[in-house]
């Protein structure tokens, strides 16, 4: 490992020098959560129309998350063999096709299309950091923050638009038409590839020895970066799953209030994600950002424990925390990597482990709430996870690069 260089140029310089590539990256980011976020607002109509059980309905949101974890290593291999740019372009085309496919028939086709959409999004999740690392160099941290904002904004916008579209087009039309955004992203990506064939048209160099790839799993810094994503994901998915229930039990909130709190939690994530590029552009280190993200998680977890009636404040702060947290996790992948190939491998490792840990978070929270008969123990667990995030973030923020 060697000392990391300082990210210096502001976002304006990035726009001036790499405008088309930046547009392609941001459009891709807008697509990387939408196929998940679109399901919730029309899930009732889907269940009624197709006669889905609660377990099957749950698969519509958990399948993509499982893909994020299980298919991450394969996505990194695909990027090395085909090139990160061509792989992302192909994933956008697959995503558009999957969003159209899944509405054509009953439950089996819906689940198959959802799986394909999850696989396509996984490729983008894993390889976009490699593209940013290779295409923007010292500006990569700032660009990563910007595309994180696009990722969060895409999920929020899709969740907001799906229900209105559903009233006009039905749930099938609403889910299918959102695939047009992936088509638009693919078109811009293809144009960027023509202008940047050196970056996007060829596979990554294959000269790195196998031992070097295996060594990534022995790197303490790589594990610290992975822990940041895992702890952040566990906090995010836990509150996404249980926040309305916590408020119902501890604050007597009704269904409408719980839904409002969940929407506030998701929407304010945009604010948090926008903070990351601003901080990264001005400060060479990420230690302060890591501690700030941890503090943002600690306050709402403690607030729900001590004063659940003030839920608007806690939901908003938790939303800012989750937006800034995913931005921090992705920025660390890019800034700790020595080159684009390392960024792809570190991204694959962190997402394999991180999203596996994240998926376990809601299960652990629910399991604790049953035997204890309340939410004190689960909320204490969230506090512990936030403290762990601070430790992992400080370790991952050390100015070294993984080779």
């Amino acid at each position: 490992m060697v000392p990391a260089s300082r990210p210096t140029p502001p976002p304006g310089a990035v726009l001036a020098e790499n405008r088309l590539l930046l547009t392609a990256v941001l459009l891709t980011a807008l697509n990387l959560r939408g196929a998940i976020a679109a399901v919730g607002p029309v899930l009732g109509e889907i269940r009624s129309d197709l006669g889905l059980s609660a377990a099957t309905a749950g698969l519509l949101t958990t399948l993509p998350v499982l893909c994020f974890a299980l298919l991450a290593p394969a996505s990194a291999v695909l990027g090395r063999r085909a090139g990160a740019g061509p792989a992302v372009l192909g994933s956008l085309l697959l995503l558009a096709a999957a969003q159209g496919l899944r509405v054509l028939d009953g439950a089996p086709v819906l689940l198959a299309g959802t799986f394909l959409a999850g696989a396509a999004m996984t490729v983008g999740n894993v390889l976009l950091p490699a593209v940013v690392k290779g295409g923007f160099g010292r500006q990569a941290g700032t660009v990563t923050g910007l595309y994180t904002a696009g990722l969060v904004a895409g999920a929020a916008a899709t969740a907001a638009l799906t229900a209105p579209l559903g009233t006009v087009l039905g749930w099938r039309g609403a889910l299918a038409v959102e695939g047009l955004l992936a088509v638009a992203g693919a078109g811009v990506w293809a144009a960027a590839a023509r202008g940047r064939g050196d970056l996007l048209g060829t596979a990554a160099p294959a000269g790195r020895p196998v031992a070097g790839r295996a060594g990534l799993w022995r790197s303490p810094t790589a594990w610290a970066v992975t822990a940041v994503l895992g702890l952040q994901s566990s906090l995010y998915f836990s509150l996404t799953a249980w926040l309305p229930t916590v408020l119902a039990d501890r604050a007597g909130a009704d269904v409408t209030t719980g839904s409002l709190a969940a929407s506030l939690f998701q929407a304010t994530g945009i604010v948090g994600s926008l903070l990351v590029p601003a901080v990264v552009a001005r400060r060479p280190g990420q230690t302060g950002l890591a501690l700030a993200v941890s503090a943002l998680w600690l306050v709402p977890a403690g607030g729900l424990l001590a004063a659940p009636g003030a839920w608007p404040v806690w939901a908003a702060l938790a939303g800012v925390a989750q937006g800034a947290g995913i931005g921090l996790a992705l920025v660390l992948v890019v800034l700790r990597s020595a080159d684009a190939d390392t960024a792809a491998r570190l991204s694959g490792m962190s997402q394999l482990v991180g999203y596996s840990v994240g998926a376990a978070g809601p299960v652990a929270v629910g399991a604790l709430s049953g035997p204890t008969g309340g939410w004190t123990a689960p909320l204490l667990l969230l506090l512990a996870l936030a403290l762990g995030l601070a430790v992992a973030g400080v370790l991952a923020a050390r100015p070294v690069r993984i080779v």
Side-chain angles (χ1 to χ4, degrees):
M1 294 183 287
V2 296
S5 58
R6 295 164 61 97
T8 50
V14 175
L15 287 169
E17 296 173 11
N18 300 287
R19 187 169 298 157
L20 189 59
L21 178 58
L22 179 62
T23 302
V25 167
L26 295 180
L27 275 174
T28 301
L30 289 173
N31 281 282
L32 294 184
R33 294 295 183 275
I36 304 174
V39 171
V42 292
L43 188 56
E45 290 88 339
I46 295 174
R47 291 190 64 183
S48 177
D49 189 14
L50 301 182
L52 301 183
S53 66
T56 303
L59 278 175
L60 295 178
T61 53
T62 56
L63 261 180
V65 178
L66 290 174
C67 288
F68 291 170
L70 299 179
L71 300 183
S75 297
V77 171
L78 175 65
R80 287 198 298 272
R81 292 184 177 179
V88 173
L89 173 58
S91 75
L92 287 169
L93 295 173
L94 175 61
L95 179 59
Q99 288 176 279
L101 169 69
R102 66 176 178 169
V103 305
L104 294 180
D105 204 348
V109 171
L110 179 63
L111 291 172
T114 298
F115 172 81
L116 290 175
M121 290 186 290
T122 303
V123 174
N125 286 339
V126 171
L127 297 182
L128 215 54
V131 172
V132 171
K133 184 71 177 180
F136 296 94
R138 292 162 66 91
Q139 302 163 335
T142 298
V143 175
T144 301
L146 291 173
Y147 91 67
T148 302
L151 187 151
V152 177
T158 302
L161 291 173
T162 301
L165 284 172
T167 62
V168 178
L169 304 173
W171 69 266
R172 295 178 189 271
L175 294 185
V177 76
E178 287 164 357
L180 294 175
L181 184 60
V183 174
V188 175
W189 199 271
R194 287 195 297 270
R196 294 290 304 272
D198 59 316
L199 172 68
L200 303 175
T202 59
R208 188 183 303 279
V210 174
R213 291 170 183 162
L216 183 72
W217 292 82
R218 296 193 294 267
S219 165
T221 302
W223 277 106
V225 172
T226 297
V228 169
L229 180 60
L231 293 166
Q232 154 67 26
S233 298
S234 190
L235 286 160
Y236 169 69
F237 287 122
S238 295
L239 274 191
T240 296
W242 293 109
L243 180 59
T245 306
V246 171
L247 293 179
D249 291 351
R250 293 186 63 85
D254 57 18
V255 174
T256 301
T257 301
S259 177
L260 179 60
S263 298
L264 183 61
F265 172 59
Q266 298 294 340
T268 52
I270 300 173
V271 177
S273 64
L274 289 172
L275 294 176
V276 174
V279 172
V280 170
R282 289 168 174 77
R283 295 180 180 274
Q286 300 84 49
T287 300
L289 179 60
L291 293 174
V293 169
S294 176
L296 283 168
W297 275 118
L298 283 167
V299 172
L304 289 170
L305 187 62
W311 64 264
V313 177
W314 314 137
L317 285 176
V320 175
Q322 58 101 350
I326 187 61
L328 170 67
L330 295 176
V331 162
L332 288 172
V333 167
V334 170
L335 295 183
R336 295 291 81 83
S337 300
D339 53 34
D341 183 46
T342 303
R345 293 184 296 112
L346 180 57
S347 182
M349 172 185 171
S350 65
Q351 292 187 43
L352 167 63
V353 178
Y355 283 120
S356 297
V357 172
V363 177
V365 167
L368 274 177
S369 69
T372 61
W375 292 97
T376 299
L379 290 171
L380 288 174
L381 173 62
L382 296 186
L383 286 170
L385 292 175
L387 289 172
L389 179 61
V391 175
V394 168
L395 293 175
R398 293 176 301 171
V400 297
R401 283 198 177 161
I402 304 166
V403 296

